[in-house]
Amino acid sequence: ALPARVCYLGVDTDYFSPGVKPREDFVLGIGQFIEHKNIHLVIEALAQLSAPRPRLVWIGNMADPAYLE
């Protein structure tokens, strides 16, 4: 048997705290870059903002090449 360890929800603020670096202005998306995620809605919403707009950063494990184009 393996020993069990409890992982409580939340963030340990003694270990993880805001740094001294300035914040960056961007919108972060996570997940597959595919059509039914409605990423085009995020892009259209960002286009409605006045300049300077935040950039969109997407972190994903795959993309539909046709949708990406």
Side-chain angles (χ1 to χ4, degrees):
L2 297 174
R5 189 172 135 200
V6 176
C7 181
Y8 295 100
L9 296 176
V11 175
D12 182 350
T13 56
D14 291 330
Y15 186 75
F16 295 101
S17 61
V20 295
K21 294 182 179 180
R23 291 181 174 222
E24 295 182 46
D25 193 16
F26 62 89
V27 173
L28 178 65
I30 300 174
Q32 299 175 339
F33 201 97
I34 52 180
E35 186 172 1
H36 63 269
K37 290 267 191 177
N38 291 325
I39 299 164
H40 61 277
L41 182 64
V42 177
I43 294 169
E44 291 171 4
L46 289 174
Q48 297 299 312
L49 297 175
S50 57
R53 294 180 190 93
R55 63 191 172 107
L56 175 61
V57 176
W58 200 272
I59 300 172
N61 59 340
M62 69 141 309
D64 175 2
Y67 186 65
L68 187 59
E69 188 174 315

